[in-house]
Amino acid sequence: MKKNIVRRPVFLICLLLLSLLVLPSAARAAAPGAGIGVYHKPAVTITVLHASPGAEMTVTMFHQFKGGSFDVKPRKENRGWEVCFRIYRMDVFDLDAWYGNAYDFKDAAVTLRDRDRTVTVPVPYEQLKEASFNDFLILDAKKGTLTVGAPWTRTAALVLMQLALYLLVESIAFRLLGIREKKSWLFFLIYTAVTKGLCCFYRRDWLNADPRIYIFFGLTAIFLGVLDMGVYLLTVDESKDNLAKFSMISNIAAGLVVFAAMRLLPLPY
């Protein structure tokens, strides 16, 4: 009995450490273009607040060497209550090379056209990254302001929305499989909130990259199912068959729901 008391926590710690080691390395390995440079994240992502779904955007950029301006039409996505625009480097044909956002967007301006109003705001290029990709900006159409980065409250709120979906779907599966003990429910809720919360935070910007990363969502669901199965079988005093079924079914179902939500909800950053 004493051996089991010692073995269970040790085994759980090993599982959690393994997850921390395997998941990030697998993500990097599965990331499209990893190590071969075939894909670039968007140079900038501009999320627009207080705009209609029909809003359109143009970004005016300048040649820093030869002079002269040119217009870029960002790719548009309607996400929940926001409109999102992205500029990918491969779409900017007028630039021969990118030297970094803080350089290439010098003196640039964003023009938003929405119904009967037009808003033009200069890009705060001094605050952009020296690296040549992946800046996030928020344009408030009412205030006419363009800010770099996202407040932590926005990221936290959107990550918590995804976690709430995990808890809802997995709680339904937990109930349907006939698990009733209060101790089992308490452990399930705490464990799920911690593990799935970390997962949601880790994956918060995955859809701000190559769509081929979608495949890794499925791999993550399977990985989490196996991890949950090992944890529940060791700690929860319920039917082992039910726990095994629950671990896989709940993770796949919840993964699909969260994946769909991530495609519809605004980007955390």
Side-chain angles (χ1 to χ4, degrees), residues 14-62:
C14 289
L15 280 175
L16 290 173
L17 288 175
L18 181 64
S19 69
L20 293 175
L21 291 172
V22 171
L23 192 56
S25 59
R28 288 191 293 270
I36 51 178
V38 297
Y39 182 81
H40 296 290
K41 288 185 176 182
V44 294
T45 299
I46 304 174
T47 287
V48 183
L49 308 179
H50 310 122
S52 70
E56 295 295 335
M57 178 181 289
T58 302
V59 178
T60 302
M61 299 178 66
F62 289 84

Side-chain angles (χ1 to χ4, degrees), residues 167-182 185 188 238 242 246 250:
L167 287 169
L168 175 62
V169 175
E170 293 200 18
S171 294
I172 292 172
F174 209 61
R175 181 75 179 178
L176 290 177
L177 287 173
I179 298 174
R180 300 287 187 268
E181 289 288 332
K182 288 184 178 180
W185 272 92
F188 155 72
E238 297 282 352
N242 282 348
F246 163 75
S250 64

Side-chain angles (χ1 to χ4, degrees), residues 44-230:
V44 294
T45 299
I46 304 174
T47 287
V48 183
L49 308 179
H50 310 122
S52 70
E56 295 295 335
M57 178 181 289
T58 302
V59 178
T60 302
M61 299 178 66
F62 289 84
H63 290 287
Q64 302 303 323
F65 287 132
K66 59 185 179 183
S69 65
F70 59 93
D71 291 336
V72 178
K73 293 287 290 184
R75 301 187 195 182
K76 175 183 171 184
E77 292 181 20
N78 291 319
R79 285 182 161 270
W81 53 91
E82 297 177 355
V83 187
C84 173
F85 295 88
R86 291 171 172 170
I87 296 179
Y88 290 86
R89 282 177 276 177
M90 68 282 285
D91 293 338
V92 184
F93 303 109
D94 296 87
L95 286 184
D96 297 326
W98 287 77
Y99 296 95
N101 285 348
Y103 178 86
D104 294 305
F105 284 95
K106 185 177 184 297
D107 299 323
V110 172
T111 299
L112 181 75
R113 297 177 182 83
D114 187 19
R115 298 192 178 111
D116 58 347
R117 62 176 173 171
T118 300
V119 178
T120 300
V121 187
V123 174
Y125 64 90
E126 305 96 335
Q127 302 174 35
L128 299 181
K129 297 173 185 174
E130 292 183 3
S132 55
F133 61 87
N134 207 25
D135 270 301
F136 185 91
L137 300 91
I138 298 179
L139 172 61
D140 190 318
K142 279 186 179 179
K143 298 179 181 179
T145 58
L146 185 62
T147 55
V148 178
W152 70 266
T153 50
R154 170 193 173 89
T155 301
L158 290 167
V159 168
L160 287 174
M161 287 182 192
Q162 296 174 25
L163 176 58
L165 290 173
Y166 260 116
L167 287 169
L168 175 62
V169 175
E170 293 200 18
S171 294
I172 292 172
F174 209 61
R175 181 75 179 178
L176 290 177
L177 287 173
I179 298 174
R180 300 287 187 268
E181 289 288 332
K182 288 184 178 180
K183 288 191 298 184
S184 300
W185 272 92
L186 181 61
F187 179 83
F188 155 72
L189 291 173
I190 295 174
Y191 170 78
T192 303
V194 173
T195 56
K196 300 310 190 294
L198 291 172
C199 184
C200 290
F201 181 78
Y202 179 72
R203 300 187 312 191
R204 64 194 181 280
D205 68 334
W206 276 13
L207 294 190
N208 198 26
D210 190 331
R212 286 173 290 178
I213 201 70
Y214 294 177
I215 298 171
F216 198 63
F217 274 86
L219 297 177
T220 306
I222 296 172
F223 172 81
L224 290 173
V226 174
L227 178 65
D228 287 1
M229 189 185 303

